[in-house]
Amino acid sequence: MHSSINKAALGAGVSVAALALATGVAAQDGATPVSTVDEIIVTGQPIVGSQRAALLRQREADNVVSVIAADTVGQFPDQNAAAALSRLPAVAVQRDQGQERYLQIRGAPNRWTSVSIDGINIVGVDEGGNQRAFRFDAVPAVILSALEVNKTLTPDMSAESIVARVDLQTYSPFDRRGIDLQGDLGRGEMNLGGGDQEQYSLRASWSGDTFGVFAAISRYRRDQITDNRETVYDAAGAPTALDYRQYFVFRETAGAMAGMEWRPAEGHRLFVKALETEFTDNEERNQYVIQVGSGVGTRTAAAGDLVGVPVRGTANDGYYGNLNRIATLGGDHTAGDWDLAWRVNYSEVQNTTDLPIVLSQQLSSSQRFAVRYDRSNSLFPILDIATQTPGATPGSFVRGTPIQTFSPASFGLNLLLPLSSRTDSEGWVYKLDGARDAELFGRPVELRLGFEYDDRSVEGSILSSAAPVVALTQLLPLVGRSFNYADYLTTERWDTGFPSGFGFTYVDNKKMRQDIDAGLAALAGAGRYNAALNISPADRYTIDERLTSAYGSASFDAFGGRMVAGLRVERMEQAIDGFLRVGTTVTPLSVDSDDLDLFPSLNARWDLNEDTVLRAALVTGIARPGYGAVRTGASVSDVSRTIAGGNPTLEPEKTWGGDVSLERYLPGAGVVSAGAFVRLVDNVLYDAVSTVTSDIYDAPGIDRTGYIYTSTQNGDSGHLYGLELSWQQQFVFLPGLWSGFGVQANVALLDGEFDTRAGQTADFPGTSKTVTNLSVYYEKYGLSARLSHQWRDDWLDSLGGLGSGEYRAGYESLDLSLRYALTDSLTLFVDGNNLTDETYVAFEGDPSRPSEVEQIGTRWMAGVRFNF
């Protein structure tokens, strides 16, 4: 969609970087550089103190990495890990109804970023059950001690990453000695609808000389209204359906963590940690689809005047959930010349979607409507709806009485579509690492050797649309009543900020859900309903994975710098079980695979002086196909010679590439940096229609080679590249109160594309050409204030693995954080999010054809933080 990197943004970014570098150089006189700081004191200056600690860690790293400390996270109005990470260079987020959920780092698809917690890989599953995408909205930021975005890998890290590996690092009781108690309480309001917002967290720890314990809990919830409008078009750009939606959304993220650590002797550490996080999303949907494409009359892209227009009403009380349980037992030991580290980790991930959707429709043409629409503003079509009366000729209709408040009470056809999916992942990781100083070819080196074994089982399904439709007129009499849509209509009109030309009233979704559940239970008791059939066998999968990894690396001085060279070897054994469905016949189908891959890497760092670091890297990596994409399950039609489903023959995406960066560390916990990267990717995954070339779908006497195949496919090669510029610093060199001002700014300029097997060129999902972050803050005299702005331009969407072929329009986000320390232990805060009250827009190929328009409103929260 875009052919080149934005030149104006590039010029502005370079100018900002140059100005920052000049400012830093001018202020170097008498300043203490980050690299020589021996003790980090955070008290009294949380922004500067935590930035200094993170930058020290970043400066001494062997690879290209961005680090944000938990104390810095606390200065932003961020409720989950995705929101906190989005403040770092080249990190963008995908939002769902305004809430951060997935990361898109360096403009890449979210599947190209792997996630670890305390160094242990955690494999996620998106809400569509299709991709290995980790949901960051399930992880509250307050349970973390630091967040790292590793943009190049070293051999001790899992190779399952193409652009980045995010490590979420949790708290240790030895982070603070003695008794420590921290927490916060906050309440606020969502501007749209006036719903509540609430958060609290509490972390308590104690550590002595050799032993420490800690426990933490957190909870964040929001009760919001989401305004949504969607439009479907024909080939000429005229609307065929105008979709009006509003959601009542109740979301909650909760976390609990506990651990203990024992240091029995110098050089020895034993620890255990357990973490549970849960994201729950209960949504009540109110939806009406004005099906103007079925009407009679005038219909253009700009306006229409029609009769005979059917309207479909949709209502549901649905649930989405994501649960993570993680436990790690580990130790670090010095044994002779070796430093050893071992870990045993258990992880469990559950992802659930339950959407019992009620569809309500007119039974006869006489119940349809007369509709006029005006799309002068393509984002907000204005409708004029009326009843219709018989016309002069038989079967014709003319416009009748205008309708001010629309009601589906007279709709006679009411159906239930019980959509659902559930995925459960359970895994064990066993890891051993060792490091020692040695001599190789007469040169002193630090050798690192390691072994890792991952054993993971996944059982689940993609979001199935093959559920049997249940007629509610037959279902609810089983519980002693009939189903009448009018019984669930309320007198409360939609609370909306979007113009429409008429109004709707809400449906009592919860009461409808209660009656439906009771009816389904009665139907199941009568042997006439089986919830297990709601998910088609072709959409189910069971996958067992065994990943065996070994690595070796050497760190040594050469060419005036520090080199880390090594090789990682990974063997993936995978057993995939599913079902083929041919009509009503279901047949098991299993496919096994065994792949061995080598991943060499080289990271180099040159300390040009005590404040300037030059880095370069050559790296390789892999992104394995998602569980739903690689499933064996498929639906087969021997009549139409078609197959639709998973693709167990998919090859993983593989990459090699390079990075180079220059970092200048400044006084005031500052750094200015410039970096460039390129990734060349083979076997790019995309959804396509092709022909079957293997024999795995054959049956006795039936050769299905050549059938039309709708599935995920491997494309040809692709390339992704970009430039990242960053500057952060508090202006401590300025006099008096002016020394409290500071800035954090970064811009990423990105581009990339890949070739399909058919020779077409396509954009990578998630690639915004420009991603910017700017925070201006003040910290002095007990006051900490920060105004933060984020912006990204248009990108191809693949939200949660459910969207395809749709672009998301660029948007901005403006947030405000205010903190005032009443004492060293007590701080008041006020947070404001989405101050620009953004309207999120998706479009089909051209912004003049918006396919979705959504708004959630501004939100505010106030409260208190304490630290004793």
Side-chain angles (χ1 to χ4, degrees), residues 16-17 36 149 163 168 219 439 504 519 533 613 665 672 684 789 850:
V16 168
T36 62
V149 177
V163 293
L168 307 176
R219 178 175 179 265
E439 190 172 285
F504 297 109
L533 300 179
V613 178
Y665 290 86
V672 57
V684 176
H789 181 270

Side-chain angles (χ1 to χ4, degrees), residues 266-268 331-343 432-437 446-450 551:
E266 186 174 351
H268 295 275
D332 301 313
H333 309 277
T334 299
D337 295 333
W338 285 92
D339 292 325
L340 301 175
W342 60 272
R343 305 287 187 266
L432 176 64
D433 296 280
R436 62 166 296 173
D437 292 329
E446 180 188 358
L447 291 179
R448 295 185 64 88
L449 301 173
Y551 78 88

Side-chain angles (χ1 to χ4, degrees), residues 117 122 273-276 324-328 345-348:
I117 296 181
I122 304 296
K273 292 182 179 181
L275 167 66
E276 179 171 313
N324 296 275
R325 293 191 178 103
I326 300 166
T328 304
N345 171 267
Y346 171 80
S347 65
E348 180 182 352

Side-chain angles (χ1 to χ4, degrees), residues 132-176:
R132 295 175 182 243
F134 185 85
R135 289 184 50 160
F136 287 88
D137 53 4
V139 181
V142 293
I143 66 172
L144 304 172
S145 65
L147 304 89
E148 287 188 357
V149 177
N150 295 276
K151 296 177 180 176
T152 66
L153 304 182
T154 51
D156 57 310
M157 301 178 185
S158 168
E160 196 158 356
S161 169
I162 287 183
V163 293
R165 177 182 186 263
V166 176
D167 189 33
L168 307 176
Q169 299 175 1
T170 60
Y171 186 73
S172 164
F174 285 91
D175 288 348
R176 289 178 170 86

Side-chain angles (χ1 to χ4, degrees), residues 636-657:
V636 179
S637 172
D638 290 317
V639 176
S640 60
R641 294 177 58 83
T642 60
I643 299 177
N647 184 356
T649 67
L650 284 175
E651 294 291 333
E653 298 167 297
K654 296 180 180 179
T655 184
W656 69 272

Side-chain angles (χ1 to χ4, degrees), residues 287-308:
Q287 175 186 3
Y288 295 95
V289 182
I290 319 298
Q291 298 167 307
V292 293
S294 299
V296 178
T298 303
R299 183 174 59 89
T300 69
D305 190 348
L306 305 146
V307 294

Side-chain angles (χ1 to χ4, degrees), residues 152 162 602 617-621 655-659 677-680 720:
T152 66
I162 287 183
L602 173 64
L618 293 173
V619 293
T620 54
T655 184
W656 69 272
D659 283 69
F677 74 93
V678 64
R679 293 291 183 271
L680 304 179
L720 182 71

Side-chain angles (χ1 to χ4, degrees), residues 652-805:
E653 298 167 297
K654 296 180 180 179
T655 184
W656 69 272
D659 283 69
V660 61
S661 69
L662 181 65
E663 304 161 4
R664 174 85 173 179
Y665 290 86
L666 310 173
V671 63
V672 57
S673 65
F677 74 93
V678 64
R679 293 291 183 271
L680 304 179
V681 187
D682 291 327
N683 302 322
V684 176
L685 298 175
Y686 70 106
D687 293 332
V689 177
S690 62
T691 58
V692 176
T693 59
S694 71
D695 62 358
I696 63 172
Y697 297 116
D698 290 352
I702 303 177
D703 181 1
R704 293 182 174 129
T705 304
Y707 277 27
I708 300 300
Y709 191 27
T710 302
S711 186
T712 304
Q713 305 290 335
N714 283 116
D716 207 339
S717 60
H719 58 274
L720 182 71
Y721 57 93
L723 176 66
E724 302 169 10
L725 306 172
S726 177
W727 172 34
Q728 67 179 58
Q729 185 177 22
Q730 184 166 349
F731 304 141
V732 294
F733 48 83
L734 294 178
L737 62 87
W738 300 103
S739 63
F741 283 100
V743 65
Q744 286 182 256
N746 56 73
V747 58
L749 309 173
L750 309 163
D751 209 344
E753 60 189 20
F754 71 97
D755 296 326
T756 69
R757 293 296 185 191
Q760 298 173 319
T761 299
D763 292 337
F764 287 119
T767 304
S768 289
K769 305 299 181 184
T770 307
V771 179
T772 67
N773 285 281
L774 173 63
S775 294
V776 179
Y777 66 86
Y778 185 83
E779 185 168 274
K780 205 172 181 69
Y781 310 121
L783 174 65
S784 177
R786 179 185 293 262
L787 186 65
S788 303
H789 181 270
Q790 296 177 307
W791 181 76
R792 64 181 300 189
D793 65 2
D794 304 350
W795 77 97
L796 180 64
D797 184 31
S798 62
L799 181 61
L802 299 176
S804 62

